[in-house]
Amino acid sequence: MTPVTWVDVFATGPMTGNQLAVVGDADGLSDEKMGHIAAEFGISETTFVCSAREGGDHRVRIFTPESELPMAGHPLVGTAWVLHNAGLMAGRGVLETGVGPLSVQADRAGGNMIQAPPEAGALLDPEELASACGAPAGETAPAGVWSTGVPQAMFAVADDAALADAEPDLAALRRLGERDGWIGISAYSLIAASHGVARVRVRHFAPGLGIPEDPVTGSAAGALGACLAAAGLAEAGALELTVWQGAMLRRPGRVDVAVDAPGGDPREVSVGGRVLPVMEGRLVDA
């Protein structure tokens, strides 16, 4: 029987943050089986730990209820924590992903990962996004696509109240994502920013992946850090960003993002946070 560990990633307390199921010893599972298991669990992502192929510690495959992802933040942070605390990986390691090997760290409290190099994509129409998100646009940074492994849309809203009141048109967001090449959108409001330190509140919508609203999104938090660093929030070549997300889903979470941005050009992004165990078990039919 195949082992499964269920954890909450980027948690602020018990039963908060984003849920993750980590399936171990997954070499014998087919792609179809992995997809069925992820759909059965019904949470935003499930990871499958396989044998390394490129010299890393393990290979990790990531599935949403509808598709496989090359990389995602909370799944890799949570998987690193599970592997480390099971004695299957040291405190520092390398996980092989669909975007290549990525460095991770873990201890008893949580985990951290260095994401893929940041990339800026196309600028987007803020008014079009405002209509689809059901929230007025803000001016913190230009609306556009950013990636630290997977392309995400970044959209500043006017303020916290507008973010809380947002009523997204999920069909419209799905169409825009398919048209413009992004897999999810982070609508965010800037709480404070000073001397290279910033705090934001975020709601993230990814209907194209079968996730109407994600509790806490590590890949998008990293991409947002790169976006804000490029928009001038980095100071002395660095930005420390705290992302608060999930309150609307009663799963409040926190992501700590660090961006190395010499001259305001984001070069390296890491994300990390607390991980809490929920339960352990085994798949009977796998």
Side-chain angles (χ1 to χ4, degrees):
M1 293 187 289
T2 305
V4 181
T5 304
W6 193 293
V7 294
D8 289 334
V9 186
F10 303 134
T12 57
M15 308 299 171
T16 65
N18 206 344
Q19 300 161 301
L20 175 70
V22 180
V23 178
D25 299 334
D27 285 331
L29 299 179
S30 67
D31 293 4
E32 182 181 24
K33 188 68 174 182
M34 291 182 189
H36 286 164
I37 292 169
E40 176 73 13
F41 288 157
I43 55 178
S44 58
E45 280 110 343
T46 297
T47 60
F48 297 85
V49 180
C50 304
S51 300
R53 294 180 174 179
E54 303 171 5
D57 291 280
H58 302 272
R59 179 179 176 226
V60 178
R61 299 184 65 182
I62 305 167
F63 283 76
T64 77
E66 292 191 6
S67 62
E68 183 174 6
L69 294 176
M71 190 281 282
H74 97 270
L76 291 175
V77 170
T79 301
W81 185 91
V82 169
L83 292 169
H84 173 66
N85 283 278
L88 299 174
M89 191 183 75
R92 294 175 180 268
V94 174
L95 298 180
E96 298 173 5
T97 76
V99 300
L102 297 177
S103 297
V104 295
Q105 298 181 44
D107 56 26
R108 293 192 66 82
N112 182 280
M113 67 174 294
I114 297 176
Q115 298 190 328
E119 296 182 1
L123 293 176
L124 302 173
D125 181 350
E127 294 307 318
E128 193 173 43
L129 294 179
S131 177
C133 286
E139 298 180 351
T140 303
V145 178
W146 280 86
S147 173
T148 53
V150 288
Q152 310 273 10
M154 300 293 127
F155 171 60
V157 302
D159 52 36
D160 277 358
L163 183 64
D165 292 341
E167 296 183 359
D169 181 337
L170 297 177
L173 288 175
R174 185 169 191 151
R175 288 193 299 270
L176 292 176
E178 291 172 351
R179 186 193 71 186
D180 296 332
W182 45 265
I183 67 168
I185 181 168
S186 283
Y188 67 92
S189 63
L190 183 66
I191 302 170
S194 178
H195 305 295
V197 177
R199 292 179 290 135
V200 294
R201 288 193 179 90
V202 172
R203 295 178 66 186
H204 187 83
F205 311 111
L209 299 177
I211 306 169
E213 181 167 358
D214 198 31
V216 196
T217 317
S219 60
L224 179 57
C227 170
L228 295 178
L233 272 65
E235 187 168 304
L239 173 64
E240 295 180 8
L241 176 68
T242 302
V243 174
W244 298 99
Q245 188 181 337
M248 297 297 294
L249 300 177
R250 298 183 180 180
R251 297 197 63 89
R254 169 178 172 162
V255 187
D256 295 315
V257 183
V259 184
D260 180 23
D265 180 18
R267 302 285 182 82
E268 182 178 283
V269 176
S270 67
V271 304
R274 189 179 179 191
V275 181
L276 294 176
V278 178
M279 60 183 173
E280 296 179 345
R282 293 185 178 276
L283 288 172
V284 175
D285 179 17

